[in-house]
Amino acid sequence: MSAKAISEETGKEFLYKHICTSAAVQNRFRYARVSNHTDWDRLAQDHPWLLTERLVVKPDQLIKRRGKLGLVGVDLDLQGVRDWLKPRMMRETTVGKAKGVLKNFLIEPFVPHKQEEEFYVCIYAGREGDWLLFHHEGGVDVGDVDAKAQKLLVAVDDKLTEETVTQQLLAHAPENRKQVLANFIVGLFNLYEDLYFTYLEINPLVVTSAGVYVLDMAAKIDVTADFLCKAKWGDVEFPPPFGRDAYPEEAYIADLDAKSGASLKLTILNPRGRIWTMVAGGGASVVYSDTICDLGGVDELANYGEYSGAPSEQQTYDYAKTILSLMTREKHPEGKVLIIGGSIANFTNVAATFKGIVRAIKDYQEPLQEHEVSIFVRRGGPNYQEGLRVMGEVGKTTGIPIYVFGTETHMTAIVGMALGQRPIPKEPPADAHTANFLLNTSSSAATPASSRTASFSEPKTAADATPAKKLKPGVPPAKATTLFSQHTKALVWGMQTRAVQGMLDFDYVCSRDAPSVAAMVYPFTGDHKQKFYWGHKEILLPVYKNMADAVRKHPEVDVLISFASLRSAYDSTMETLNFPQIQTIAIIAEGIPEALTRRLIKKADEKGVTIIGPATVGGIKPGCFKIGNTGGMLDNILASKLYRPGSVAYVSRSGGMSNELNNIISRTTDGVYEGVAIGGDRYPGSTFMDHVQRYQDTPEVKMIVVLGEIGGLEEYRIGQGVAEGRITKPVVCWCIGTCATMFSSEVQFGHAGACANQAAETAVAKNQSLREAGVFVPKSFDELGDVIRTVYDDLVASGVIVPAKEVPPPTVPMDYSWARELGLIRKPASFMTSICDERGQELIYAGMPITEVFKEEMGLGGVLGLLWFQRRLPRYACQFIEMCLMVTADHGPAVSGAHNTIVCARAGKDLVSSLTSGLLTIGDRFGGALDAAAKQFSGAFDSGLLAMEFVNKMKKDGKLIMGIGHRVKSINNPDMRVQILKDFVKQHFPATQLLDYALEVEKITTSKKPNLILNVDGFIGVAFVDLLRTCGGFTRDEADEFVEIGALNGIFVLGRSMGFIGHYLDQKRLKQGLYRHPWDDISYVLPEHMTM
């Protein structure tokens, strides 16, 4: 959703902070917010003017016409305000159809003034620009301002001047107020633009000799502009519409949505309702709500919401558990139903999202059974069969009634089943499996008669393209009637390899001669090649760093498919519009600010470029070209027969619903000729009528289907075209969102443009008008397919559509990764790992989620235990590991490892090279004695040798005892590192048999030479063996294996790396130059015969 209402307090704060005008704006920041929790003494301290001035008090909860409703207290002192609030605060009030509790009020200074000093000002956004309304008689009785007010359209990118305001808006304003009004209105309009308002109304605006007073204000801002306006907006609190409470669960889902690239929405309508929905897709969510209301469920509908845009399994789990938590709080005498619906997904992995839902169902198994919940599921799209399977399985294992249906079932049929108005099939027919696109599909079910006079696979003539017309100077170029052909070439902006591969597979199955993607543009890497498949063959597509290079090297390209982010889509599209060869641009991103979109539309119109989107999946022309992920994967392409043209063209707002239309049209007609999803924003780059007119001018199109929706007035132009005879082909149209008129409070549906700001924008009004104009309008979405079939059959009967033979498409191999996802193949893995898994929503160490690692404060020792030993070690063991790392971290610059690191650092090498240089010196002679000491001491101890026998044996064998001896430390000058570790081990370890044995050896060796002590390497080695053998987490064989494979040396390597890095940073910080060893520290001993 884009435009959101803000409180009057927030709106005035924006105005007072940021308006730039020479008009004297009075009472700046003089307002006080009160609720039932207000401390009145503190309030008076914070706002001393409350004690000295006459006051006005009113609710600040998005309530219209408060004065008419008697909800404004005027000319009161502070005690009078409190008395006025007593009977109203926290009391239920009815405003129109909405019932709500008054809980937030605003107190402001009372402004004495005359009626003739009240004015009305309003600014609101339209497609061509922003409308300014001004009326010289403002206030409570302003009446129908649309009919009365002076209007001025400020076109996109035009500047408003005081002169224009005075001439076109202020004709009836008092002469002595015109200059102040004009100056203020220009400042207000600039504020409106700078802060991305979409609606701003002041009524009344009072202008006296003292200055300008903003009495009452209502406003909406474009929330998608947050990344542009955050510094000016700050943290904005968006109040819910009056009559609906703000729930913490809504805020939780909004937070999930903000952190996700997917779309997650939730509005709670009736927490006690028995009908709950969890629908995938912005358009589909509206259709399900419509159907529930059409079947009489409006009073029991508990929520509106959607999840779409390929949410992860974890995100879907979080969303699902929120719904299940809400619906299992209060019982309903008739039990409850959960409708898990959706259209046919374009790119969302249905199985992955359903696994998240299944996890939530398992977690809530008992509450769901206790509340007698039945679940009805209908879904299609990538891997949907596996998703339906796991959903059916969880029903069997939990005993919860779960009914699952796929694309063979009409999208909204499950609503009738859930509400008991349609029988539930015992065994729904199953469609072909996703894997079937590996096979030749000539045996598939026959399609209805078609109008094709030539096979899709036959070569087309050059007449595919619309010839360019010569233009008069100053006249904008006309937009093409034919956007795509079998020879269309496109650039793809963004590293969307999956979408590109989907386009190439579509091209191949359509028997195109060459791929439709000429190249990709990706500014974040240098020019290179990217590998893709063309059927069985691997091909390389060029990737360019900038758009200019791409269009220069590929003059045949005339389409851009932009996967740029919402932040960069505007700039990249504006750049593209400077290249005349680009005639069509598809903008996939959702969330581009409306003001920026309108600038794109204006420039595209000037250049004669067609824009599809923003907020779209794109479009498809069967047999020719598809945009990105449109149409889904190959199984759906084949099932909906999108590999060859039909006779029906459609236009929709919703991407998901466009795929549903592909399915419906393929089942009821000879298929789709072309389909476009113009996008869900308020101002799509191209309109319904733009495409309907194209289809009217395209001879191969025999009938047109339009799926409109609530919001905007564009559908009326279609009715007008039909009524006036400009559109002569049969048009079937249905506008979704009919449920909105049944709700008591305003609901913003999933698409930004799906909100009615006036009666004419409601879906009910549009459907009625279209019906009256001669458009074929079904009674509900449920009947859309039936009406399409009837119109199609009539065209066949009248000979407009002539049957043609179905031609099977070529087979396309399945990608290995997808085949593996479906469980169709297996292959030995190149690597195996058992310590870590980063694939899910959360990083897992040896089975333990990273959040749990921090929650339990396991520390570095605990993490090392998980990753090295796959065990959760006792607390003392974790502490011992951390102590070992601390004592081995460094031992000065003179040791070989530190010396090497320093020399490398001074030679100008980078950190990794310098660190590696130091680490390569670690071995038996330096630092690597842990493993060797552990093996020698444990071998001797386990074989029953006495300490003296072990020492004598090593001497006899001519071997050093690893871990014994120190260059500096001795029995008389003990190593404090060893002493610290010894004290800890003796205090905390359950047993120290090997350590005790090593200390006996030390007594013998130090009696011979004082420096033959058990050094830090030896101590850690033997103590670690005691730890592994006695902590209770390992068998004896496991403990010995860790010693054998060299795990203990890892302690020294990890610890000493800290010191080496320290030496590297120290040398860089000290800016030490290249090291050269001094001659006087080198003994030059040459062979005698060389010195003679």
Side-chain angles (χ1 to χ4, degrees):
M1 58 190 71
S2 179
K4 270 192 175 183
I6 54 177
S7 66
E8 183 174 4
E9 178 188 15
T10 302
K12 286 183 174 177
E13 182 182 347
F14 287 177
L15 187 148
Y16 294 146
K17 269 186 183 178
H18 301 294
I19 193 167
C20 185
T21 174
S22 60
V25 179
Q26 301 297 317
N27 287 339
R28 285 178 182 254
F29 303 106
R30 298 183 81 189
Y31 47 74
R33 185 179 183 179
V34 294
S35 67
N36 64 321
H37 303 298
T38 295
D39 180 336
W40 288 89
D41 293 334
R42 178 65 183 271
L43 189 74
Q45 287 177 13
D46 293 342
H47 305 281
W49 52 269
L50 290 171
L51 300 172
T52 58
E53 298 198 27
R54 305 299 291 177
L55 306 170
V56 172
V57 59
K58 54 195 173 185
D60 188 8
Q61 293 179 232
L62 308 185
I63 299 172
K64 298 174 182 176
R65 294 178 287 279
R66 290 169 294 187
K68 288 258 185 194
L69 295 169
L71 293 177
V72 182
V74 179
D75 196 13
L76 306 170
D77 60 12
L78 187 57
Q79 185 56 49
V81 167
R82 297 183 68 173
D83 293 341
W84 186 90
L85 285 171
K86 277 180 185 175
R88 294 172 176 83
M89 180 73 78
M90 300 308 292
R91 299 294 169 87
E92 188 173 78
T93 303
T94 301
V95 177
K97 292 192 294 184
K99 285 184 179 180
V101 176
L102 297 173
K103 55 179 79 170
N104 295 314
F105 291 82
L106 205 60
I107 306 174
E108 296 179 294
F110 171 65
V111 180
H113 62 275
K114 302 170 187 174
Q115 178 62 44
E116 57 267 25
E117 293 175 324
E118 291 188 349
F119 304 95
Y120 173 89
V121 179
C122 180
I123 313 170
Y124 64 88
R127 184 179 178 85
E128 296 79 19
D130 296 291
W131 286 94
L132 258 166
L133 274 63
F134 177 84
H135 192 45
H136 62 285
E137 295 174 344
V140 177
D141 299 315
V142 68
D144 184 0
V145 288
D146 284 328
K148 292 180 178 180
Q150 300 294 312
K151 293 184 180 180
L152 169 63
L153 175 64
V154 183
V156 173
D157 283 338
D158 280 5
K159 290 298 176 187
L160 183 66
T161 65
E162 291 184 33
E163 183 182 2
T164 305
V165 171
T166 304
Q167 288 176 357
Q168 299 197 34
L169 293 179
L170 304 182
H172 303 296
E175 201 63 40
N176 62 341
R177 299 286 185 250
K178 283 186 178 181
Q179 185 177 351
V180 173
L181 280 167
N183 187 274
F184 177 79
I185 289 171
V186 170
L188 188 70
F189 184 80
N190 291 336
L191 169 86
Y192 168 94
E193 284 195 319
D194 291 345
L195 269 68
Y196 286 78
F197 282 86
T198 61
Y199 180 84
L200 200 166
E201 180 188 60
I202 301 174
N203 182 38
L205 173 71
V206 170
V207 182
T208 70
S209 57
V212 176
Y213 298 85
V214 178
L215 295 199
D216 283 358
M217 181 175 173
K220 293 182 179 181
I221 58 174
D222 184 352
V223 295
T224 61
D226 181 68
F227 71 98
L228 297 170
C229 295
K230 184 70 175 177
K232 293 180 180 177
W233 285 356
D235 294 321
V236 181
E237 184 180 332
F238 296 99
F242 183 73
R244 201 171 70 231
D245 289 329
Y247 291 87
E249 290 81 6
E250 292 175 335
Y252 172 70
I253 296 300
D255 185 56
L256 282 182
D257 179 61
K259 296 173 182 174
S260 164
S263 178
L264 302 167
K265 305 286 188 292
L266 176 64
T267 300
I268 299 168
L269 303 171
N270 174 14
R272 295 181 176 82
R274 68 177 292 263
I275 305 167
W276 291 78
T277 64
M278 190 159 63
V279 179
S285 60
V286 180
V287 171
Y288 276 98
S289 298
D290 284 351
T291 309
I292 291 167
C293 294
D294 287 342
L295 296 179
V298 63
D299 293 330
E300 291 290 353
L301 181 57
N303 71 304
Y304 166 79
E306 59 135 332
Y307 67 99
S308 59
S312 67
E313 179 183 330
Q314 182 64 38
Q315 288 164 343
T316 315
Y317 167 75
D318 292 335
Y319 186 86
K321 74 177 184 181
T322 304
I323 300 288
L324 299 183
S325 168
L326 285 162
M327 72 181 296
T328 53
R329 292 179 186 177
E330 291 187 36
K331 289 188 177 181
H332 194 283
E334 298 176 44
K336 294 186 178 181
V337 294
L338 173 61
I339 295 170
I340 302 175
S343 56
I344 300 171
N346 287 290
F347 54 90
T348 298
N349 185 334
V350 175
T353 57
F354 272 19
K355 284 173 185 174
I357 299 173
V358 164
R359 277 174 55 200
I361 290 172
K362 288 178 178 177
D363 288 352
Y364 280 84
Q365 177 180 346
E366 291 183 10
L368 289 170
Q369 290 172 329
E370 186 183 338
H371 287 76
E372 300 178 62
V373 174
S374 299
I375 300 175
F376 293 81
V377 183
R378 191 275 186 183
R379 193 73 163 109
N383 210 4
Y384 80 93
Q385 296 91 343
E386 175 64 11
L388 297 180
R389 186 192 68 77
V390 297
M391 196 68 79
E393 284 297 318
V394 78
K396 293 173 185 174
T397 56
T398 61
I400 298 165
I402 300 180
Y403 307 94
V404 296
F405 304 90
T407 55
E408 77 291 333
T409 303
H410 185 70
M411 190 176 105
T412 53
I414 59 171
V415 177
M417 299 177 202
L419 272 57
Q421 299 184 24
R422 185 192 287 245
I424 302 171
K426 289 187 179 177
E427 287 189 18
D431 268 354
H433 191 273
T434 308
N436 280 3
F437 69 75
L438 279 163
L439 310 174
N440 191 298
T441 54
S442 57
S443 60
S444 60
T447 50
S450 111
S451 63
R452 295 184 307 283
T453 55
S455 163
F456 69 93
S457 59
E458 291 176 16
K460 300 270 178 137
T461 66
D464 280 335
T466 304
K469 298 176 182 176
K470 291 186 178 179
L471 301 172
K472 295 178 182 177
V475 177
K479 296 184 180 182
T481 298
T482 303
L483 300 182
F484 315 115
S485 74
Q486 264 217 337
H487 310 292
T488 294
K489 289 282 190 175
L491 293 175
V492 174
W493 202 105
M495 192 54 67
Q496 291 287 329
T497 53
R498 179 178 169 184
V500 171
Q501 186 61 64
M503 291 176 67
L504 300 190
D505 288 342
F506 176 80
D507 297 339
Y508 189 82
V509 85
C510 292
S511 299
R512 278 185 58 130
D513 296 331
S516 60
V517 180
M520 300 170 72
V521 179
Y522 193 60
F524 306 106
T525 61
D527 292 0
H528 65 283
K529 304 278 188 181
Q530 190 74 27
K531 187 169 68 175
F532 292 97
Y533 285 102
W534 176 250
H536 296 263
K537 187 173 65 174
E538 287 186 304
I539 62 172
L540 294 173
L541 290 182
V543 182
Y544 299 100
K545 188 174 176 64
N546 62 71
M547 192 73 191
D549 288 346
V551 295
R552 187 179 70 254
K553 294 181 181 179
H554 299 276
E556 75 281 11
V557 164
D558 64 354
V559 174
L560 172 73
I561 301 169
S562 174
F563 285 95
S565 72
L566 63 93
R567 290 171 176 80
S568 59
Y570 171 75
D571 290 331
S572 59
T573 306
M574 287 298 263
E575 179 194 7
T576 303
L577 287 168
N578 292 321
F579 301 106
Q581 73 187 65
I582 303 296
Q583 293 298 301
T584 306
I585 300 175
I587 305 172
I588 310 301
E590 180 179 3
I592 300 173
E594 291 175 356
L596 301 185
T597 300
R598 292 186 304 169
R599 290 180 195 164
L600 290 176
I601 293 169
K602 181 180 180 181
K603 186 166 182 180
D605 288 345
E606 292 169 355
K607 301 278 187 177
V609 174
T610 298
I611 291 183
I612 298 173
T616 182
V617 72
I620 191 165
K621 188 170 184 179
C624 291
F625 183 80
K626 83 165 185 143
I627 296 171
N629 294 303
T630 310
M633 296 189 67
L634 269 184
D635 60 334
N636 190 65
I637 298 290
L638 297 180
S640 296
K641 298 185 172 57
L642 298 173
Y643 52 85
R644 85 299 184 272
S647 304
V648 184
Y650 72 80
V651 58
S652 160
R653 272 187 172 274
S654 165
M657 289 306 298
S658 68
N659 221 4
E660 196 63 43
L661 287 177
N662 291 331
N663 181 45
I664 293 171
I665 291 169
S666 72
R667 291 173 183 272
T668 55
T669 73
D670 66 341
V672 174
Y673 178 82
E674 183 178 326
V676 171
I678 61 174
D681 283 358
R682 279 214 298 172
Y683 309 118
S686 51
T687 65
F688 284 129
M689 193 58 182
D690 290 337
H691 295 285
V692 169
Q693 191 65 61
R694 283 198 309 107
Y695 299 153
Q696 170 67 26
D697 296 339
T698 304
E700 295 85 354
V701 174
K702 306 302 181 186
M703 63 178 283
I704 301 166
V705 175
V706 179
L707 189 67
E709 68 178 36
I710 182 176
L713 302 168
E714 185 59 31
E715 291 86 349
Y716 289 102
R717 291 181 59 202
I718 300 171
Q720 230 176 346
V722 172
E724 294 171 1
R726 288 182 288 115
I727 306 297
T728 58
K729 295 177 180 178
V731 178
V732 179
C733 183
W734 175 250
C735 296
I736 65 175
T738 53
C739 61
T741 53
M742 304 182 195
F743 296 147
S744 59
S745 61
E746 181 184 305
V747 174
Q748 170 66 60
F749 295 111
H751 292 157
C755 184
N757 296 311
Q758 52 181 302
E761 294 189 26
T762 63
V764 172
K766 292 183 189 180
N767 285 330
Q768 181 61 32
S769 176
L770 288 164
R771 192 176 285 114
E772 291 169 358
V775 175
F776 293 93
V777 180
K779 293 178 183 176
S780 68
F781 181 81
D782 262 357
E783 295 184 6
L784 180 62
D786 297 334
V787 174
I788 292 172
R789 185 190 299 274
T790 301
V791 174
Y792 172 80
D793 288 345
D794 288 345
L795 291 172
V796 172
S798 63
V800 174
I801 293 177
V802 180
K805 186 181 177 182
E806 184 71 47
V807 182
T811 57
V812 180
M814 184 184 292
D815 280 350
Y816 171 80
S817 58
W818 188 246
R820 187 167 184 175
E821 172 79 22
L822 295 173
L824 299 177
I825 57 172
R826 63 187 182 191
K827 167 187 170 291
S830 300
F831 291 98
M832 293 179 69
T833 181
S834 59
I835 63 167
C836 183
D837 190 346
E838 81 288 4
R839 296 170 299 172
Q841 181 72 12
E842 189 174 350
L843 181 64
I844 293 175
Y845 288 164
M848 192 171 194
I850 192 68
T851 51
E852 291 297 316
V853 172
F854 281 93
K855 193 181 294 181
E856 308 227 359
E857 299 182 349
M858 294 185 66
L860 185 59
V863 170
L864 194 145
L866 293 174
L867 294 179
W868 289 17
F869 304 111
Q870 297 179 299
R871 301 287 193 281
R872 185 168 178 183
L873 300 177
R875 184 66 194 150
Y876 70 83
C878 298
Q879 287 178 282
F880 176 69
I881 290 171
E882 291 174 6
M883 291 175 70
C884 290
L885 295 176
M886 292 161 70
V887 301
T888 59
D890 195 44
H891 203 216
V895 296
S896 58
H899 180 83
N900 266 23
T901 301
I902 291 169
V903 171
C904 256
R906 291 179 61 170
K909 302 296 284 185
D910 60 278
L911 185 143
V912 174
S913 301
S914 302
L915 173 62
T916 305
S917 167
L919 291 175
L920 287 174
T921 64
I922 295 175
D924 287 348
R925 293 189 175 185
F926 167 62
L930 278 75
D931 284 327
K935 289 175 185 176
Q936 287 183 356
F937 280 104
S938 59
F941 177 78
D942 293 341
S943 62
L945 290 176
L946 297 175
M948 182 61 77
E949 292 174 327
F950 170 55
V951 172
N952 292 338
K953 182 177 184 303
M954 295 298 288
K955 184 177 181 181
K956 182 179 178 182
D957 293 343
K959 293 180 181 178
L960 295 173
I961 302 176
M962 293 293 110
I964 291 289
H966 199 282
R967 181 177 292 275
V968 178
K969 299 297 179 182
S970 66
I971 193 73
N972 303 312
N973 178 23
D975 188 340
M976 293 309 298
R977 298 179 298 171
V978 174
Q979 194 60 47
I980 291 167
L981 291 174
K982 188 191 301 183
D983 292 343
F984 181 86
V985 167
K986 286 294 185 181
Q987 183 179 349
H988 294 94
F989 280 25
T992 56
Q993 289 180 312
L994 193 59
L995 174 58
D996 294 341
Y997 182 77
L999 293 174
E1000 288 297 319
V1001 170
E1002 182 189 48
K1003 289 178 183 177
I1004 298 167
T1005 56
T1006 52
S1007 66
K1008 297 179 179 181
K1009 201 172 182 182
N1011 69 329
L1012 295 180
I1013 58 172
L1014 181 64
N1015 60 35
V1016 70
D1017 293 354
F1019 183 91
I1020 293 174
V1022 296
F1024 229 107
V1025 174
D1026 280 332
L1027 173 64
L1028 293 172
R1029 290 182 175 184
T1030 63
C1031 72
F1034 305 90
T1035 64
R1036 177 62 176 271
D1037 289 342
E1038 287 173 334
D1040 291 346
E1041 183 183 22
F1042 278 115
V1043 174
E1044 190 62 35
I1045 62 179
L1048 306 191
N1049 268 357
I1051 294 290
F1052 184 85
V1053 170
L1054 182 60
R1056 191 52 59 93
S1057 292
M1058 293 188 282
F1060 291 167
I1061 292 171
H1063 286 295
Y1064 170 86
L1065 297 174
D1066 186 49
Q1067 295 301 307
K1068 293 294 185 182
R1069 186 169 53 246
L1070 296 172
K1071 296 180 173 55
Q1072 294 294 289
L1074 178 67
Y1075 175 77
R1076 179 181 175 87
H1077 202 73
W1079 289 339
D1080 60 3
D1081 192 38
I1082 301 172
S1083 179
Y1084 291 90
V1085 183
L1086 299 178
E1088 287 185 11
H1089 70 276
M1090 297 293 293
T1091 58
M1092 292 174 63

